[in-house]
Amino acid sequence: MIKYRIVFEKKGRAKYISHLDLMRTFQRAFQRAGVKVRHTEGFNPRARISIAHPLPLGMESRCEILDFEALEPLDESLVSRLNAVMPEGIVIRELRENTRKASEIAWKRYNLRLIYDTGVPQGAAEAIARLFSSGNVVIRKKTKRGEADFNISPCINSLNVAQDGNDELLLDLVASAQSPSLNPMLIVDAIGKYLPEISPDFTRCVRVEMLDEELKPF
Amino acid sequence: MQHKLERILPKVQKPARYTGGEYNQVLKDSSKVDLRFALCFPDTYEIGMSNLGLKILYGVLNNMSGVWCERVFAPWGDMEEEMRKNSIPLYALESGDELREFDIIGFSIGYEMAYTNVLNMLDLSNIPLRSAERGEDFPLIIAGGTCAFNPEPLADFIDVFLLGEGEDLLPELVSLVHDMKGSDRLSLLKAAAKLEGVYIPTLYDVEYNDDGTVKSIVPHDGAPAVVTKRIVQDFENSYFPTETIVPSTEIVHDRTVLELFRGCIRGCRFCQAGYVYRPVRSRSAEKLRELGVSALKNSGYQEIGLSSLSTSDYRGLRELCDGLLDWCEPRNVSLSLPSLRADNFSMEIMERVQKVRKSGLTFAPEAGSQRLRNVINKNVTEEDILNTCRTAFEGGRNSVKLYFMLGLPTETDEDVLAIAELAYKIVRLWKDCAKNRAGGLRITLSTACFVPKPMTPFQWEAQVTAEEYMRRVKLLCDSMRSRAISYNWHDAETSIIEAVLSRGDRRLGRVLEEVQKTGGRMESWSEYFSFERWASAFEKYGLNPAFYANRERSRDEVLPWCHLTAGVTEDFLWSEREAAYRGEITPDCRVQCTGCGANLLYKGGGCDD
Ligand code: SF4
């Protein structure tokens, strides 16, 4: 039994595949590629695979990781074998031996693209930067027991804002991956609450990098 | 991905069903293909993607060079609302292009309750519903499937109907459309009418009597007086899809499916599929194993199912199951069998399959008494059922599902009460021989209101009224007090509409249009079905649903579908009806050919079974 990890992208139409469906998709893709993966016991054996940080529906990623145990040694050729049998938009980047615990992921980097159909409002970039440097950005968040106030500032390691063309703002965000993990779309919720006049018409979000405690690539 | 679509998808349930992009979808360059075909299924993605016929046609069409076939399904209510609000027309999943850009739009219609979805999908595509209102620039709208055997309610909306199996006929029609690009619509339709199995409703004039029955159906412009359905001649070697699309989201039947045979030898008199898909044609076990293994390898599915009208009638069942299981077991792939008939129930096969999962037993005796089962020619005896239950109970299984119909021709209260008696016999049997008593016995008993279908021996029958159906439901309900039995009955209202549409005529086109306009869609889903909506549409056009549903037809009445045939003669159907009233059973095709006429569909000669 050898523990492996693959790093993959999820983009385009594949961003609408839910976490559960993605697990099923990989289960079948392994089967198609003829990879012998360790299965669960019982009546209905399933491949034992895990995806450490489920991506919210509708978000793209360049850095997803999936862990599994293979019954036989694998080499780099697995990448192309798997890519030949994946649905559109899921692209395997590399195969690694799984030597680091996924719990060492402490931060995640995201790129948010805020889209304004009628052009970015004057001073929006500055206003957003100012808001998140205040250290106290509180939003209402749904919890198991109704709703609660939640200060998202401690979850933000860095947030840089730049304008891209006339209609878009680009936010480069490093957010906490654990206790608690920050859903980057809450940044947009916060803009909607504090700066409603510069709330974007639509936001695209891409997870670009998993980082460890030292902010080094995981 | 279309820009507008990206903004609405986050707002709807299960967006993955609206995106395409699955493994094995077929992509072609739209600028390089000669003909674009939108294959539409008038229900949800989850149901449509489970449909074997759709997979076959998708493969057949995409194997034609120069043709690109894409899929289209009906959006759920939340998605439809967002699409309308944001002016997003219905689009095909592969390319995302709207339906108006296609050359042919083809609907596969398997049940009447999907009719309003057909109209709604055209409406969502900004395509006028009525053929007469569509100019030459609009796509050709065609339809096939079980409903094509009486398509009259849809006659105003569909340009071309295809009768029977599409594997050969559809490519012929597509080639014709391709070759005749540039000529006018009427010339195309006239040429298409010459293909065997093609029905062009506008080439027939229908007149009515004062009492509302059909007076005459007269072809013109060279259309044939009778359109005969098409069948696949060489089923063994006909196309079977082994590279099927693997959905990225869960669907209803999420597995590989093998089609063992077409048609059915049984001849249950209520069953439309049993008559319109005659004669039986099967594939060899060897071929099927090969197809199954290659489909499993290609898809990565870990389950394979067998699909046919009456799977246990397949001669090579044991050989096939053994062959598949030898391959499947070491690979963690499970074989799921439909519930086999009690009379030739192969316990060994079941045993071997059940190693994986102990599922419940399912029976469809359809009627409670032997007398009534003879009337409908359902060849299952009480003894068969009890024997099978005994083996199952002794093997530790504790749940039984039973399906019945109420309102079958000649049914009396005694027949209704026999359903309860049968259930009680199963309860007593369980008490006598159950191995595993801990969980207790669970019998789930369901009834549906019988719907007389065209091209069956019961096509002349009256359906019982909703009140009468409910009286029988109550009678049955009151006679079952055991806690082991839970009784579900389907509502009668849906069955009435089904009965109206299945034997309806062209005048119902206006009703369908009105129902769609007033919000009717997804009518096979109880959360969307509204009887009131139908009732007021009937009223608006002065039509009485009882005329279609609850009226017995005489032998000499001109039935709205009398210019169409599935190969079985009307004389045969009538003689089966008389046999039913005498309570006589008709042997199945293997025991004895009773001369239904379907053998003439074979170019080479007689039926193979
Ligand atoms: S012709 Fe005879 S054998 Fe063939 S389907 Fe009809 S009854 Fe059955």
Side-chain angles (χ1 to χ4, degrees), chain B residues 20 35 39 91 119 156 159 164 174 183 219 234 294 304-305 321 369 372 402 413 427 432 436 472 500 529 575 591:
Chain B
L35 190 140
L39 184 57
Y91 57 92
L119 301 195
D156 293 344
D159 300 318
V174 168
S183 44
D234 179 7
S294 110
I304 181 165
C321 288
S369 69
L372 193 52
L402 296 166
D413 285 358
V427 173
D432 288 345
N436 170 10
R472 295 182 197 187
V500 170
F529 177 76
S575 71
V591 173

Side-chain angles (χ1 to χ4, degrees), chain B residues 378-397:
Chain B
K378 179 84 193 186
N379 197 4
V380 174
T381 65
E382 190 169 289
E383 203 187 335
D384 296 332
I385 294 169
L386 294 177
N387 281 342
T388 312
C389 286
R390 177 186 300 274
T391 322
F393 294 157
E394 284 170 354
R397 287 196 272 168

Side-chain angles (χ1 to χ4, degrees), chain A residues 138-216:
Chain A
V138 179
I139 56 148
R140 299 289 287 175
K141 200 179 140 180
K142 281 197 194 91
T143 66
K144 282 179 197 112
R145 275 168 283 158
E147 288 190 348
D149 281 337
F150 174 47
N151 182 5
I152 61 174
S153 297
C155 298
I156 300 171
N157 180 282
S158 63
L159 177 69
N160 292 306
V161 190
Q163 184 150 351
D164 189 18
N166 287 330
D167 301 335
E168 298 181 2
L169 285 181
L170 197 60
L171 271 55
D172 185 61
L173 167 75
V174 173
S176 62
Q178 32 179 303
S179 52
S181 157
L182 181 75
N183 179 341
M185 293 308 279
L186 292 180
I187 297 288
V188 184
D189 289 356
I191 294 171
K193 175 184 165 187
Y194 287 92
L195 307 163
E197 66 287 355
I198 56 169
S199 187
D201 294 298
F202 188 67
T203 303
R204 280 199 203 102
C205 183
V206 189
R207 184 187 276 175
V208 288
E209 208 176 15
M210 306 274 200
L211 304 164
D212 65 14
E213 200 63 55
E214 272 94 58
L215 294 171
K216 294 208 183 75

